[in-house]
Amino acid sequence: MFWSVIAANKRKTVLLIVLMGFFLISSGSMIGMALADAQHPYAAGLIGAAAAGAVWVVMLLVSLFASDSVLLGLTHAREVTRDMYPQLINVVEEMVIAGSLPHMPRIFVVDDPSPNAFAVGKSPEKSCICVTAGLLALCDRDELQGVVAHEIGHIMNRDVLYMTVAATMLGSILFISDMFVRSFRYTSTTRLASRSRRAGGGAAGPLLIVSLLLAIIGPILARVLYFSISRRREYLADATSARLTRYPEGLASALEKIGQSPVMLSAAPSAVAPFYTVNPYRQHISSGAFATHPPLSERIQILRAMSHGAGYTDYLKAYARVTRRRRALLPPADLTERGKVDIRQASRDGCSAPATRAESLRRARDIIRALNDFAFITCACGLRIKVAPEYPKDRIACPRCSRVHSVQRSGAAAVGSVLSASSAMGAPAAARVVCPDQGGGHPSERAVQEARFVPGRWQKIACEICGHGYEISPRFSGKRLVCSGCGAVIRFSRAAGQGGGSSDISA
Amino acid sequence: MKCPQCSDILLTLEFDRIEIDYCPGCRGVWLDAGELGILLERDGKEALLLSAPGSVRRKEKKRACPICSRGMEKVLMTGSDVLLDECPSHGLWFDGGELSKILEAECGDRGEEDRTGGLARLLDEIFTPGKEERT
Ligand SMILES: [Zn+2]
Ligand SMILES: [Zn+2]
Ligand SMILES: [Zn+2]
Ligand SMILES: [Zn+2]
Ligand SMILES: [Zn+2]
């Protein structure tokens, strides 16, 4: 445990809350005064300050009491159990014991193909670890353990407390200045014009400039403050990871794989970015004061330079050697390590052949989808259809063979069926089919109707069987359409003479 | 996820361990960067056959990436005039017309050199079943 780091994180959190409160309230009052009528600038300033203060209090309460649910909600993470991801749960348990955390964190998985992980929670008692489906698919056991231990490190060092508060505060600043910029754009065209004509307003001009400056500098300041601080903590979490796993190569190789992965973190909201093991926006913000994370190559190099042991002292030595930085990562008083920590043997199970990777990504994502209320349909033609909960209709025609299926959302049962289906993986898709078979049959035996299609303009047609209507875009160049109401095939003959619709699936 | 063209809700289709997202409204197809990665690993570089991104200037309106909603770049599939939309971080979008072009090319050129690569083959397999019976 790095006591000075923990204390510093707590201190910084309080300082940040106070500073942000001051900043929000003063800019709120300025904005209020700038936007007010010339007669009552101070009353409006007070109202602005009160509004900003209210926002601050709400943000503070949220960041201290509901931050984990907000952050996990933003990323659509789902809590998982041992039967879904046994290896993940085991690895977390081992690291919790190694780090002697008072509580087992809750474990979440995000449906995201890009490999990454983060932790949230204001104390070790109430923490959550979140990994992406992509990470589970990419990493073997040692690598997963390295990443999980890095997150445990953040929890132990109270980094997540500070980051949670900072993320919420940053969000509120951006929100307020955004509101200001919008209202300024609006009033500058209307009210300002009339005000300057009356030549009144007194302090309105300078006030406007000051508050405009605030609105510009505020977000930059908040970002610099928040991003620049989160770099040292990454090194320390890496050190903790090496120490807890006694195997620095695990994290090093995970980071390397993550760095080479072509996939970016998709739906991650920017406020969550600093939480991740690896910056999800690495292509856009790569270095400098705006980088939330030290360069990956450097982190990997340090971990690989730990050839003599896996202790904190070994990490610090490697850090000094690789980065050539004079300033130590930690004050010497924090190093209470006694004796030497040996590096353990690799426990590689070497299971990341392409086929199994595709499969485990599929499985990892399907479980999360089932938890998120997707419906799963396996068609007799071998196609699996996964229907999002937002999908409005309750019947679907298979895009491959046009069989019509009804969409049934089975909730918890879907998770079970995904689990059992994926344990039976290996059989070819068509052999595992469960077909509801409504109006099935080979596509060539299905009802086919003809419709005239005039390219170059919008037109409406209706299915002769079920009456379902379609608007056909002028750019539509297909030769047939499968009615999503009944599954019948509507075949188009081209009016403009460019070849009749002769070749369709049954041709 | 919503269709970048007609904002219908996309359906996720899995075939041969690859997933695509399909718009039932306009028959467009979204291929996630994660799936592209798997295709790349499995079938090698020729699976994708994309020319350099951003190299095509077209008047066609930019579509928004269904994941990050930034404007996507227009890219050409090598050896064809199929124009795709690409978000460099998130994936590829084939609109309905482009998809049927690929499928037609596949049906027409069968027997000749297969220049459209594994990606087109996959799409062809998904959307035209019973090919074995035809040949
Ligand atoms: Zn980290
Ligand atoms: Zn089917
Ligand atoms: Zn119909
Ligand atoms: Zn669409
Ligand atoms: Zn995107």
Side-chain angles (χ1 to χ4, degrees), chain A residues 113 262-267 281 283-284 352-355 357-359 361-362 365-366 369 374 381-388 390-393 396-397 399-401 425-427 429 432 442-443 475-482 484 503 505 507, chain B residues 1-2 5 8-22 24-27 32-38 40-42 60 63 67-68 70 88-90 95-98 100-101 104 107 124-134:
Chain A
V263 195
M264 301 274 297
L265 200 74
S266 45
Y281 305 108
Q283 267 182 7
H284 307 294
S352 34
R357 259 202 61 198
E359 212 161 88
L361 180 64
R362 204 83 314 128
R365 298 190 70 177
D366 277 355
R369 289 205 182 105
F374 273 60
C381 68
L383 195 69
R384 276 190 97 203
I385 309 173
K386 301 165 194 182
V387 191
E390 311 85 86
Y391 192 77
K393 292 176 208 129
I396 282 176
R400 186 161 197 255
C401 69
M425 272 280 196
R432 285 186 273 117
H442 190 270
R475 296 188 49 225
F476 179 76
S477 59
K479 286 177 178 151
R480 65 185 189 108
L481 182 144
V482 176
S484 57
S503 87
I505 36 122
Chain B
M1 210 157 67
K2 280 187 179 168
Q5 195 169 4
D8 273 14
I9 304 290
L10 298 181
L11 294 171
T12 304
L13 308 179
E14 179 190 331
F15 188 79
D16 195 17
R17 301 206 181 111
I18 297 289
E19 258 177 18
I20 62 168
D21 294 288
Y22 170 76
C26 65
R27 304 185 22 126
D32 196 283
E35 306 303 322
L36 282 170
I38 290 175
L40 200 77
E41 255 182 17
R42 202 170 67 177
E60 224 178 285
R63 296 201 180 87
I67 289 168
C68 65
R70 265 179 238 142
S89 327
H90 300 124
D95 80 20
E98 288 155 355
S100 41
K101 254 192 225 168
E104 274 163 37
C107 298
D124 190 38
E125 265 167 29
I126 294 181
F127 291 104
T128 43
K131 205 166 44 186
E132 315 77 39
E133 297 155 45
R134 259 187 288 144

Side-chain angles (χ1 to χ4, degrees), chain A residues 86-372:
Chain A
Q87 193 182 60
L88 175 65
I89 310 278
N90 287 342
V91 162
V92 174
E93 273 174 354
E94 283 169 24
M95 291 302 100
V96 164
I97 294 167
S100 44
L101 285 192
H103 265 270
M104 177 81 178
R106 293 160 72 198
I107 302 163
F108 290 73
V109 176
V110 192
D111 172 25
D112 196 313
S114 131
N116 226 324
F118 67 91
V120 290
K122 64 179 195 296
S123 65
E125 288 78 22
K126 289 188 173 178
S127 55
C128 313
I129 288 181
C130 188
V131 302
T132 64
L135 185 83
L136 293 174
L138 190 72
C139 289
D140 64 21
R141 194 175 201 285
D142 282 335
E143 292 159 349
L144 186 64
Q145 196 183 45
V147 174
V148 165
H150 172 99
E151 298 311 326
I152 301 258
H154 281 311
I155 294 173
M156 287 166 66
N157 299 340
R158 300 296 193 285
D159 290 336
V160 285
L161 166 73
Y162 178 75
M163 291 204 282
T164 308
V165 172
T168 337
M169 291 290 155
L170 173 72
S172 69
I173 284 197
L174 294 181
F175 174 72
I176 288 188
S177 67
D178 182 57
M179 259 186 4
F180 171 69
V181 170
R182 257 180 230 179
S183 61
F184 178 75
R185 248 189 235 146
Y186 172 71
T187 44
S188 61
T189 48
T190 56
R191 193 175 301 164
L192 257 182
S194 65
R195 190 184 289 171
S196 58
R197 231 178 289 129
R198 277 187 274 122
L207 258 181
L208 253 182
I209 294 166
V210 169
S211 51
L212 191 66
L213 272 180
L214 267 181
I216 295 166
I217 295 170
I220 299 175
L221 213 102
R223 267 174 206 260
V224 170
L225 171 95
Y226 162 49
F227 285 157
S228 59
I229 291 169
S230 64
R231 301 183 72 172
R232 187 175 76 126
R233 68 193 62 223
E234 291 309 319
Y235 294 114
L236 291 177
D238 284 356
T240 309
S241 169
R243 172 73 178 74
L244 295 186
T245 58
R246 295 199 296 115
Y247 187 67
E249 177 56 27
L251 180 61
S253 121
L255 290 178
E256 195 171 57
K257 278 189 182 176
I258 293 172
Q260 284 163 359
S261 148
V263 195
M264 301 274 297
L265 200 74
S266 45
S270 60
V272 193
F275 289 84
Y276 283 96
T277 308
V278 173
N279 186 358
Y281 305 108
R282 66 193 121 92
Q283 267 182 7
H284 307 294
I285 315 161
S286 53
S287 59
F290 289 93
T292 47
H293 289 68
L296 264 187
S297 54
E298 194 177 271
R299 288 170 66 189
I300 296 169
Q301 245 186 320
I302 297 171
L303 287 164
R304 293 217 161 124
M306 298 173 69
S307 45
H308 301 295
Y312 293 127
T313 25
D314 299 297
Y315 186 88
L316 294 186
K317 273 183 207 152
Y319 171 84
R321 200 159 59 235
V322 170
T323 64
R324 294 169 199 280
R325 271 179 215 136
R326 289 270 184 69
R327 235 184 99 215
L329 262 184
L330 274 179
D334 263 355
L335 284 174
T336 48
E337 205 165 58
R338 257 170 265 117
K340 191 172 179 309
V341 184
D342 288 319
I343 294 178
R344 70 164 167 81
Q345 290 293 304
S347 66
R348 301 214 170 238
D349 42 11
C351 66
S352 34
T356 58
R357 259 202 61 198
E359 212 161 88
S360 52
L361 180 64
R362 204 83 314 128
R363 179 188 145 90
R365 298 190 70 177
D366 277 355
I367 293 173
I368 301 305
R369 289 205 182 105
L371 289 172
N372 280 329

Side-chain angles (χ1 to χ4, degrees), chain B residues 51-58 73-76 83:
Chain B
S51 57
S55 56
V56 199
R57 290 271 167 270
R58 292 286 166 101
E73 301 292 335
K74 302 281 176 195
V75 293
L76 270 178
L83 192 63

Side-chain angles (χ1 to χ4, degrees), chain B residues 79-96:
Chain B
S80 69
D81 56 347
V82 178
L83 192 63
L84 309 177
D85 301 85
E86 182 188 40
C87 171
S89 327
H90 300 124
L92 278 178
W93 173 255
F94 302 74
D95 80 20

Side-chain angles (χ1 to χ4, degrees), chain A residues 449 463-468 470 483-488 490:
Chain A
Q449 31 186 316
C463 171
E464 286 166 16
I465 295 166
C466 71
H468 196 294
Y470 294 92
C483 173
S484 57
C486 68
I490 303 170

Side-chain angles (χ1 to χ4, degrees), chain A residues 378-383 385 397-403 405, chain B residues 129:
Chain A
T378 310
C379 183
C381 68
L383 195 69
I385 309 173
C398 169
R400 186 161 197 255
C401 69
S402 12
R403 282 183 183 82
H405 303 271

